Amino acid sequence: MPAKRKSTKNAMKDATASQYAIQYELEIFGFKIPTFIRNNYTLLFITLSLCHIVSSVIFAFLQEKVTHIDGFKSDTHNYSQFMTVIEMFTLALCAFLEISFSGGKEGSVTSPNAPISSYLILSVCTFGGMFCTNSGLKYISYPTRIVFKGAKPVPTMIMEYLYVGKIFSAVEVVSVIILVAGIIIFSAADAASKLGAGGSNPSMGYLFMCGGVIFDSFTSNFEKKNIFRKHKATHCEAMFFASTFGFIWSLLVLAVTDREMLYDGFNFFLSTPQAVLWLTLSSIGAYMSVVFVLLLIKVYSTTYAECVKGVRKVVSIMASYLFLGKGKSFGFYHLCGITCFVASSATTVYSKSMTTTTKTK
């Protein structure tokens, strides 16, 4: 019995030492987080959480703000697809800078850990997800886009079940059912308000969003299995190659499918510096939000990260209605949809916490 207590005590000491080592090594773009933050477990969590939420809100708010600029869209054109070009370029640049400043810790541009062929496949999925979700903005409101993006667990679970035969708990299934119900209710309410105001039918937007969510699901599954696990590549390296190739795909797709829009979009952003500035800052916010959520997972767990991501989604929706709410209506069914959305997030967090507890035991 004493020997068992001693081994347990040593294991706890090792875990604590490992935890402090992880906190000590935390870096962003090669710069260590200030010592007084790293040494305080609670303050570190608050800092990373707030930085993730602020970065995400900056991304969503400024991206939506670009779509409100005069000349961005009309009855004859909409430059939402061209946004993918600028966003991909900015993400690639951010990843390149982080790799450069990290001194080799975050991968290499010249000698990547994973083969280029894997990054090419990843880039197609990454580009497809971004292109579809941006294209969907022609037909649906930005809050609906945020809600739809939250549906990523649905195709992910289906693929994991079909691809690797993973069996999900009843709680996880219930969480997805609630999430789907919330998306249907919120989208139906948004469609009704849009059609009632004389707007276009958003059905095409829903198709684009479904395509984007499926692409995102392929992205996460592919990079998890073929990039991170198989080749031990870093997130920065994967982001750099996926975004660099994605930038090329975005230009090629527009050149082939809508060359006129490619030229007009280029001229619009060239003649509208504020659009380029806001979209660039928005993309930097998107990149930094991923950096901070990965640090949350690294130091704490996916359970804590899911909590923060749930708060981030709700805050982003609120910011859209509060600051860019012109022409938007918010009714009872919108509230019901968001309530389901929050309930699904809470159920997911509960499921992950139960899984973590079981593993600990």
PDB file of all heavy atoms in Angstrom, residues 26-38:
ATOM      1  N   LEU A  26       6.266  28.259 -23.522  1.00  0.00           N
ATOM      2  CA  LEU A  26       5.247  28.898 -24.358  1.00  0.00           C
ATOM      3  C   LEU A  26       5.816  30.100 -25.114  1.00  0.00           C
ATOM      4  O   LEU A  26       6.352  31.033 -24.513  1.00  0.00           O
ATOM      5  CB  LEU A  26       4.059  29.354 -23.504  1.00  0.00           C
ATOM      6  CG  LEU A  26       3.135  28.260 -22.964  1.00  0.00           C
ATOM      7  CD1 LEU A  26       1.974  28.884 -22.225  1.00  0.00           C
ATOM      8  CD2 LEU A  26       2.627  27.376 -24.086  1.00  0.00           C
ATOM      9  N   GLU A  27       5.684  30.051 -26.443  1.00  0.00           N
ATOM     10  CA  GLU A  27       6.174  31.134 -27.293  1.00  0.00           C
ATOM     11  C   GLU A  27       5.148  31.479 -28.359  1.00  0.00           C
ATOM     12  O   GLU A  27       4.358  30.635 -28.792  1.00  0.00           O
ATOM     13  CB  GLU A  27       7.482  30.720 -27.986  1.00  0.00           C
ATOM     14  CG  GLU A  27       8.667  30.539 -27.058  1.00  0.00           C
ATOM     15  CD  GLU A  27       9.944  30.204 -27.815  1.00  0.00           C
ATOM     16  OE1 GLU A  27       9.866  30.050 -29.063  1.00  0.00           O
ATOM     17  OE2 GLU A  27      11.002  30.084 -27.180  1.00  0.00           O
ATOM     18  N   ILE A  28       5.169  32.745 -28.769  1.00  0.00           N
ATOM     19  CA  ILE A  28       4.342  33.219 -29.872  1.00  0.00           C
ATOM     20  C   ILE A  28       5.246  33.977 -30.828  1.00  0.00           C
ATOM     21  O   ILE A  28       5.857  34.979 -30.448  1.00  0.00           O
ATOM     22  CB  ILE A  28       3.195  34.132 -29.378  1.00  0.00           C
ATOM     23  CG1 ILE A  28       2.294  33.361 -28.403  1.00  0.00           C
ATOM     24  CG2 ILE A  28       2.369  34.657 -30.550  1.00  0.00           C
ATOM     25  CD1 ILE A  28       1.216  34.209 -27.760  1.00  0.00           C
ATOM     26  N   PHE A  29       5.376  33.496 -32.056  1.00  0.00           N
ATOM     27  CA  PHE A  29       6.272  34.085 -33.044  1.00  0.00           C
ATOM     28  C   PHE A  29       7.713  34.181 -32.518  1.00  0.00           C
ATOM     29  O   PHE A  29       8.412  35.163 -32.751  1.00  0.00           O
ATOM     30  CB  PHE A  29       5.767  35.468 -33.471  1.00  0.00           C
ATOM     31  CG  PHE A  29       4.641  35.410 -34.462  1.00  0.00           C
ATOM     32  CD1 PHE A  29       3.341  35.184 -34.051  1.00  0.00           C
ATOM     33  CD2 PHE A  29       4.872  35.568 -35.825  1.00  0.00           C
ATOM     34  CE1 PHE A  29       2.298  35.111 -34.952  1.00  0.00           C
ATOM     35  CE2 PHE A  29       3.845  35.496 -36.740  1.00  0.00           C
ATOM     36  CZ  PHE A  29       2.546  35.268 -36.318  1.00  0.00           C
ATOM     37  N   GLY A  30       8.127  33.162 -31.771  1.00  0.00           N
ATOM     38  CA  GLY A  30       9.495  33.110 -31.266  1.00  0.00           C
ATOM     39  C   GLY A  30       9.721  33.890 -29.989  1.00  0.00           C
ATOM     40  O   GLY A  30      10.823  33.845 -29.424  1.00  0.00           O
ATOM     41  N   PHE A  31       8.706  34.591 -29.502  1.00  0.00           N
ATOM     42  CA  PHE A  31       8.852  35.396 -28.275  1.00  0.00           C
ATOM     43  C   PHE A  31       8.102  34.719 -27.129  1.00  0.00           C
ATOM     44  O   PHE A  31       6.941  34.332 -27.274  1.00  0.00           O
ATOM     45  CB  PHE A  31       8.300  36.807 -28.489  1.00  0.00           C
ATOM     46  CG  PHE A  31       9.028  37.582 -29.541  1.00  0.00           C
ATOM     47  CD1 PHE A  31       8.538  37.646 -30.838  1.00  0.00           C
ATOM     48  CD2 PHE A  31      10.230  38.234 -29.250  1.00  0.00           C
ATOM     49  CE1 PHE A  31       9.209  38.356 -31.824  1.00  0.00           C
ATOM     50  CE2 PHE A  31      10.909  38.937 -30.227  1.00  0.00           C
ATOM     51  CZ  PHE A  31      10.404  39.009 -31.522  1.00  0.00           C
ATOM     52  N   LYS A  32       8.768  34.585 -25.999  1.00  0.00           N
ATOM     53  CA  LYS A  32       8.140  33.947 -24.854  1.00  0.00           C
ATOM     54  C   LYS A  32       7.103  34.863 -24.217  1.00  0.00           C
ATOM     55  O   LYS A  32       7.287  36.080 -24.152  1.00  0.00           O
ATOM     56  CB  LYS A  32       9.202  33.555 -23.807  1.00  0.00           C
ATOM     57  CG  LYS A  32      10.011  32.327 -24.206  1.00  0.00           C
ATOM     58  CD  LYS A  32      10.871  31.831 -23.065  1.00  0.00           C
ATOM     59  CE  LYS A  32      11.582  30.530 -23.464  1.00  0.00           C
ATOM     60  NZ  LYS A  32      12.411  29.997 -22.385  1.00  0.00           N
ATOM     61  N   ILE A  33       6.023  34.251 -23.750  1.00  0.00           N
ATOM     62  CA  ILE A  33       4.996  34.991 -23.020  1.00  0.00           C
ATOM     63  C   ILE A  33       5.626  35.500 -21.722  1.00  0.00           C
ATOM     64  O   ILE A  33       6.420  34.786 -21.099  1.00  0.00           O
ATOM     65  CB  ILE A  33       3.789  34.083 -22.719  1.00  0.00           C
ATOM     66  CG1 ILE A  33       3.104  33.676 -24.043  1.00  0.00           C
ATOM     67  CG2 ILE A  33       2.789  34.763 -21.800  1.00  0.00           C
ATOM     68  CD1 ILE A  33       1.990  32.675 -23.875  1.00  0.00           C
ATOM     69  N   PRO A  34       5.321  36.743 -21.287  1.00  0.00           N
ATOM     70  CA  PRO A  34       5.917  37.297 -20.064  1.00  0.00           C
ATOM     71  C   PRO A  34       5.871  36.324 -18.888  1.00  0.00           C
ATOM     72  O   PRO A  34       4.878  35.610 -18.693  1.00  0.00           O
ATOM     73  CB  PRO A  34       5.053  38.537 -19.790  1.00  0.00           C
ATOM     74  CG  PRO A  34       4.611  38.969 -21.156  1.00  0.00           C
ATOM     75  CD  PRO A  34       4.414  37.703 -21.925  1.00  0.00           C
ATOM     76  N   THR A  35       6.941  36.327 -18.109  1.00  0.00           N
ATOM     77  CA  THR A  35       7.099  35.371 -17.006  1.00  0.00           C
ATOM     78  C   THR A  35       5.967  35.447 -15.988  1.00  0.00           C
ATOM     79  O   THR A  35       5.474  34.410 -15.519  1.00  0.00           O
ATOM     80  CB  THR A  35       8.439  35.624 -16.281  1.00  0.00           C
ATOM     81  OG1 THR A  35       9.496  35.607 -17.242  1.00  0.00           O
ATOM     82  CG2 THR A  35       8.703  34.549 -15.240  1.00  0.00           C
ATOM     83  N   PHE A  36       5.530  36.664 -15.640  1.00  0.00           N
ATOM     84  CA  PHE A  36       4.502  36.795 -14.602  1.00  0.00           C
ATOM     85  C   PHE A  36       3.171  36.179 -15.057  1.00  0.00           C
ATOM     86  O   PHE A  36       2.354  35.773 -14.223  1.00  0.00           O
ATOM     87  CB  PHE A  36       4.309  38.269 -14.209  1.00  0.00           C
ATOM     88  CG  PHE A  36       3.557  39.105 -15.202  1.00  0.00           C
ATOM     89  CD1 PHE A  36       2.189  39.310 -15.085  1.00  0.00           C
ATOM     90  CD2 PHE A  36       4.226  39.703 -16.269  1.00  0.00           C
ATOM     91  CE1 PHE A  36       1.505  40.083 -15.999  1.00  0.00           C
ATOM     92  CE2 PHE A  36       3.553  40.488 -17.187  1.00  0.00           C
ATOM     93  CZ  PHE A  36       2.186  40.678 -17.056  1.00  0.00           C
ATOM     94  N   ILE A  37       2.960  36.078 -16.369  1.00  0.00           N
ATOM     95  CA  ILE A  37       1.747  35.434 -16.879  1.00  0.00           C
ATOM     96  C   ILE A  37       1.943  33.914 -16.916  1.00  0.00           C
ATOM     97  O   ILE A  37       1.077  33.152 -16.491  1.00  0.00           O
ATOM     98  CB  ILE A  37       1.397  35.950 -18.296  1.00  0.00           C
ATOM     99  CG1 ILE A  37       1.041  37.439 -18.246  1.00  0.00           C
ATOM    100  CG2 ILE A  37       0.237  35.154 -18.894  1.00  0.00           C
ATOM    101  CD1 ILE A  37       0.747  38.047 -19.601  1.00  0.00           C
ATOM    102  N   ARG A  38       3.124  33.479 -17.382  1.00  0.00           N
ATOM    103  CA  ARG A  38       3.401  32.048 -17.481  1.00  0.00           C
ATOM    104  C   ARG A  38       3.411  31.363 -16.117  1.00  0.00           C
ATOM    105  O   ARG A  38       3.005  30.205 -15.993  1.00  0.00           O
ATOM    106  CB  ARG A  38       4.760  31.822 -18.165  1.00  0.00           C
ATOM    107  CG  ARG A  38       4.692  31.884 -19.678  1.00  0.00           C
ATOM    108  CD  ARG A  38       6.015  31.514 -20.314  1.00  0.00           C
ATOM    109  NE  ARG A  38       7.012  32.565 -20.208  1.00  0.00           N
ATOM    110  CZ  ARG A  38       8.192  32.425 -19.652  1.00  0.00           C
ATOM    111  NH1 ARG A  38       8.534  31.280 -19.101  1.00  0.00           N
ATOM    112  NH2 ARG A  38       9.048  33.437 -19.606  1.00  0.00           N
TER     113      ARG A  38
END
